[in-house]
Amino acid sequence: MATIHIVGLGPGDAGLITLDAWQLMSQTKRLILRTAIHPSVARLDEARLAYEALDRFYETEATFEEVYGHIVDYVLAAAQKEDVVYAVPGSPVVAERTVQLLEEKGAAADVTVDVLPGMSFLEVMYTRLRFDPVGGVTIIDSSDADRLPKDLQTPLIVTQVYDRRVASDVKLSLMDLYGDEYEAQLIYHISLPDEDIRTIKLYELDRIDTIDHLTSLFLPVPPVDAPTAPRDDAADAEASGSMPFDMQPLVDVMARLRGEGGCPWDKSQTHQSLRRFLIEEVYEMLDAIDQGDTDGIREELGDVLYQVVIHARIAEEEGLFSAQDIVSDVCKKMIRRHPHVFTTDRLEKTSSSMVNWDRLKQGELRQQHAHLLDGVVTGLPSLLAAYKLQEKSAKVGFEWSDTADVIAKVHEEWNEFLEAVREGDFTHEEEEAGDVLFVLANLCRRYQIEPECALHRANSKFRRRFSYVEDCVHASGKDWSAFTLDELDSFWKEAKEKERSCQTGK
């Protein structure tokens, strides 16, 4: 009977791999890793240990259960031929679904499954925080944050807070239980040289730059007197099914969110910071229409309306205009343009619900896709699509570990483009040009720059400056052909200097 020896790669620092695990990995003829995206794997490379990583299954399967199922079947098939050492991140018995499946299926496949003890990130965390779990602790994956019971009685650890989008979901769920100002411990890269443990308030969670799949959150005290949403007359009417067709409830909600004691995230927004969300909501609405998804159209219309109302609220706070001004203006315009239709100026308004920051929650019916990247709508502008495709693939660890690697890839793709240009093959040139833009979108994401908005800004800047050049040419009374490129460039520089003078006030 063949044997599968299951070992752990520890929490990150290769020095925390057990001696038994290292000896097995060093001596085996068949070493299989669930994933090579783990800091300890670098030590295996240094020791020139031959291994096979199964990261390819994360790219081809739609759900984690499917990924784990294929991994287990593959390892069991390999064990039919020879003994196998199967290595997983952390400890084999902490949050390792493939180990559970291997133990369940091993006997039926006539394979012995031998699980060796290993160290998980939890032991290191307990040590760093001086926390004794003997009194009880609840440990959940970030994807389960919205399933916590209201009467939670233990400290809480949330693992694998992959990125800022996931952090946003976790934050919203936890703030319902603990409140916005609750102080938690953010644990980043535990046991690694760049380990960082800091105290943050829950509302700050998705504003932290250093967040990846090796980030966890520790909430030391159970929630007490968890905040509940206040109910008003409009909410009571909505619950009873007699909600009027009225936009005022959403306007009131927004006033509360941006008012005293409101949500810090909503209060911090500006017209500029909200740009990418408006773009995304509009394209998600278009995608729902294309799909004939009635429920999706209803939801996305609400999200678009939320964007309208928060922009209106910001403008009202600045004394510019209100939500009512927006409604009145568009109503008057439609009536003015359709005099043969309207005989009254009565205005019917619209109701809506608040926006969900990131609806890519697997528990929602509309967000269950056959493949991970299916959630990125096909109608998005290409740069925005590139940004979101890479954002989603990074959630499963398909990601460069360091920004320097992305920068190096930019140079690599640029050189490949130049080589294609030298070859004179247009198809190859186009392909390499696309690769350059795609990796640049990844670099933008590393610095929280949405490339579609960045390019829109560059386009607007070019439009302004070229219009200035055009005005200069027209003012001269000459034709474009009468100017050299250097002369036209001097007009461009004038436009640039005028813009800078306006920006600095000089």
Side-chain angles (χ1 to χ4, degrees):
M1 179 181 289
T3 300
I4 300 173
H5 300 281
I6 304 180
V7 301
L9 294 173
D13 184 345
L16 298 178
I17 299 175
T18 68
L19 182 58
D20 285 345
W22 186 261
Q23 287 178 340
L24 276 172
M25 290 191 292
S26 301
Q27 297 169 3
T28 185
K29 295 180 181 179
R30 188 72 184 273
L31 173 59
I32 300 177
L33 310 185
R34 175 169 66 77
T35 176
I37 304 174
H38 188 69
S40 294
V41 176
R43 181 68 185 88
L44 274 60
D45 293 333
E46 292 173 5
R48 298 186 178 181
L49 298 187
Y51 61 80
E52 177 186 9
L54 304 183
D55 293 285
R56 62 183 180 275
F57 290 113
Y58 289 90
E59 302 174 31
T60 59
E61 305 307 325
T63 67
F64 281 118
E65 279 303 308
E66 291 176 349
V67 171
Y68 299 152
H70 281 288
I71 287 176
V72 167
D73 291 343
Y74 184 86
V75 175
L76 286 172
Q80 298 294 335
K81 303 175 183 178
E82 58 186 332
D83 286 356
V84 170
V85 174
Y86 176 59
V88 298
S91 165
V93 296
V94 176
E96 268 301 328
R97 179 63 176 153
T98 59
V99 175
Q100 298 171 6
L101 292 173
L102 282 170
E103 289 186 301
E104 292 172 6
K105 296 183 177 182
D110 199 28
V111 173
T112 299
V113 178
D114 175 33
V115 181
L116 275 71
M119 179 176 285
S120 74
F121 73 98
L122 292 172
E123 288 79 12
V124 185
M125 185 186 298
Y126 297 152
T127 302
R128 297 286 194 270
L129 298 175
R130 296 296 188 269
F131 171 70
D132 186 350
V134 71
V137 61
T138 299
I139 304 171
I140 63 168
D141 185 85
S142 59
S143 62
D144 296 324
D146 59 346
R147 303 177 189 175
L148 282 171
K150 299 293 184 182
D151 57 349
L152 183 66
Q153 299 296 313
T154 66
L156 174 67
I157 295 174
V158 183
T159 68
Q160 300 187 100
V161 185
Y162 280 98
D163 55 27
R164 294 175 78 172
R165 288 295 186 106
V166 174
S168 176
D169 281 340
V170 170
K171 177 187 79 171
L172 291 175
S173 296
L174 295 182
M175 287 195 308
D176 286 342
L177 292 177
Y178 293 83
D180 300 0
E181 301 284 333
Y182 182 91
E183 291 190 344
Q185 299 293 314
L186 186 76
I187 296 95
Y188 173 78
H189 284 199
I190 195 82
S191 84
L192 295 176
D194 58 344
E195 173 186 304
D196 183 30
I197 300 176
R198 69 176 81 173
T199 300
I200 65 166
K201 294 185 177 181
L202 279 182
Y203 73 81
E204 300 174 315
L205 179 57
D206 58 353
R207 303 180 188 180
I208 308 298
D209 293 331
T210 53
I211 287 182
D212 61 20
H213 64 291
L214 297 179
T215 303
S216 300
L217 194 66
F218 177 62
L219 293 80
V221 180
V224 177
D225 296 326
T228 56
R231 295 192 61 83
D232 54 16
D233 293 340
D236 291 333
E238 182 179 16
S240 65
S242 60
M243 186 68 184
F245 201 56
D246 184 9
M247 197 173 76
Q248 190 60 43
L250 180 57
V251 174
D252 294 340
V253 166
M254 186 56 63
R256 177 73 177 270
L257 287 171
R258 286 185 58 89
E260 184 177 354
C263 173
W265 187 90
D266 289 90
K267 291 168 69 174
S268 69
Q269 298 310 305
T270 66
H271 291 306
Q272 289 293 106
S273 69
L274 290 166
R275 290 184 307 158
R276 66 165 290 190
F277 300 106
L278 180 57
I279 292 172
E280 291 180 11
E281 299 300 350
V282 169
Y283 276 98
E284 288 176 6
M285 169 62 184
L286 296 178
D287 189 61
I289 293 174
D290 291 341
Q291 298 299 324
D293 182 357
T294 303
D295 290 339
I297 293 172
R298 174 179 174 177
E299 177 187 352
E300 300 303 340
L301 280 173
D303 291 350
V304 171
L305 186 56
Y306 171 92
Q307 293 296 318
V308 172
V309 172
I310 191 172
H311 280 285
R313 178 67 188 183
I314 292 170
E316 185 174 8
E317 291 168 359
E318 296 172 355
L320 302 177
F321 56 83
S322 67
Q324 185 59 55
D325 293 330
I326 296 173
V327 174
S328 298
D329 288 349
V330 70
C331 184
K332 290 176 183 177
K333 180 166 66 175
M334 292 300 101
I335 293 174
R336 183 173 67 249
R337 293 182 179 181
H338 301 84
H340 59 291
V341 175
F342 293 96
T343 57
T344 176
D345 59 0
R346 182 176 62 87
L347 175 64
E348 292 184 8
K349 302 174 184 175
T350 310
S351 65
S352 174
S353 60
M354 291 185 59
V355 71
N356 182 347
W357 288 5
D358 180 11
R359 285 165 314 287
L360 301 181
K361 298 179 179 177
Q362 294 302 314
E364 296 184 8
L365 181 61
R366 289 186 59 242
Q367 303 306 327
Q368 294 179 0
H369 306 290
H371 295 92
L372 178 66
L373 298 183
D374 288 351
V376 179
V377 297
T378 56
L380 286 175
S382 295
L383 272 178
L384 180 57
Y387 181 98
K388 292 179 74 63
L389 288 169
Q390 294 171 96
E391 189 176 57
K392 289 186 75 67
S393 62
K395 290 184 177 182
V396 294
F398 193 71
E399 169 79 313
W400 279 289
S401 60
D402 191 272
T403 302
D405 296 331
V406 185
I407 294 174
K409 189 66 176 178
V410 171
H411 291 295
E412 176 186 332
E413 296 294 351
W414 176 248
N415 288 331
E416 290 178 4
F417 170 71
L418 295 179
E419 180 62 28
V421 171
R422 286 190 288 269
E423 294 173 1
D425 183 339
F426 174 79
T427 300
H428 191 197
E429 292 172 6
E430 185 179 61
E431 178 184 354
E432 296 300 339
D435 290 345
V436 171
L437 292 172
F438 190 84
V439 74
L440 280 173
N442 197 321
L443 185 61
C444 287
R445 184 175 63 83
R446 288 295 183 125
Y447 293 100
Q448 287 78 53
I449 298 171
E450 202 289 291
E452 192 70 30
C453 290
L455 184 58
H456 177 77
R457 175 174 289 185
N459 289 342
S460 298
K461 181 168 59 178
F462 182 88
R463 187 191 300 272
R464 289 194 309 270
R465 293 178 182 177
F466 185 82
S467 295
Y468 180 87
V469 173
E470 187 178 23
D471 290 341
C472 290
V473 171
H474 291 166
S476 71
K478 300 178 183 178
D479 190 76
W480 283 92
S481 60
F483 293 87
T484 66
L485 180 58
D486 287 341
E487 290 172 328
L488 294 175
D489 189 56
S490 68
F491 294 148
W492 179 275
K493 291 177 180 177
E494 287 179 18
K496 188 175 180 179
E497 289 300 322
K498 286 180 179 293
E499 285 185 6
R500 288 179 175 174
S501 296
C502 291
Q503 291 170 358
T504 59
K506 296 180 180 180

